Amino acid sequence: QVQVVESGGGLVQAGGSLRLSCTASGLSIDHYAMGWFRQAKGKEREVVSCISGSGRLTFYADSVKGRFTISRDNAEKTVYLQMDILQPDDTAMYYCAAGVKTELAGMTYYPVRPATADYWGQGTQVTVSS
């Protein structure tokens, strides 16, 4: 049985940092593109970042470029999202997904829209106070 479990959320002041972790069990994680998504209250879910199975390709939403970094450790079956310079607009429930459907057009790697993935976690809350 596949399980995707997020951790690392919490309350942080604006300008602070958090690192989210996502552990996937029951699958060969290196075969799967992984992604982080978020959903704020009253808003639709949006993609934050994705990473290819090898880790060589990454995608970031414009709103987090330069502040968030996605990485993965396939041996540990874990994907990370390092979030720096957090802002109140980053407040949301953050979800990890395995098997994110992605495309590579030339040198551009991106998730297909609407967001599609094989497995989803339950989410971890990130709250950024001003």
Side-chain angles (χ1 to χ4, degrees):
Q1 183 178 357
V2 176
Q3 282 192 314
V4 177
V5 180
E6 307 94 336
S7 62
L11 173 64
V12 64
Q13 288 189 329
S17 298
L18 282 174
R19 187 174 84 153
L20 304 183
S21 298
C22 168
T23 301
S25 59
L27 73 165
S28 297
I29 189 175
D30 54 321
H31 293 168
Y32 290 82
M34 302 290 291
W36 287 96
F37 298 78
R38 68 186 181 186
Q39 186 167 18
K41 283 186 179 179
K43 295 187 177 181
E44 293 186 354
R45 183 176 60 192
E46 62 175 355
V47 61
V48 175
S49 182
C50 298
I51 187 167
S52 64
S54 66
R56 286 194 290 268
L57 300 173
T58 58
F59 166 87
Y60 295 95
D62 288 344
S63 58
V64 306
K65 277 180 183 176
R67 300 188 299 121
F68 290 11
T69 304
I70 193 170
S71 61
R72 64 190 297 158
D73 183 338
N74 287 342
E76 295 295 325
K77 295 192 173 186
T78 301
V79 177
Y80 303 97
L81 186 68
Q82 177 66 40
M83 306 186 295
D84 298 317
I85 318 175
L86 282 160
Q87 302 166 3
D89 283 350
D90 295 317
T91 295
M93 184 70 79
Y94 282 70
Y95 299 91
C96 179
V100 179
K101 300 301 183 273
T102 56
E103 295 280 355
L104 180 62
M107 297 296 290
T108 302
Y109 179 71
Y110 59 94
V112 301
R113 300 290 204 275
T116 305
D118 294 326
Y119 307 101
W120 293 87
Q122 293 298 307
T124 186
Q125 178 68 37
V126 172
T127 303
V128 184
S129 63
S130 57

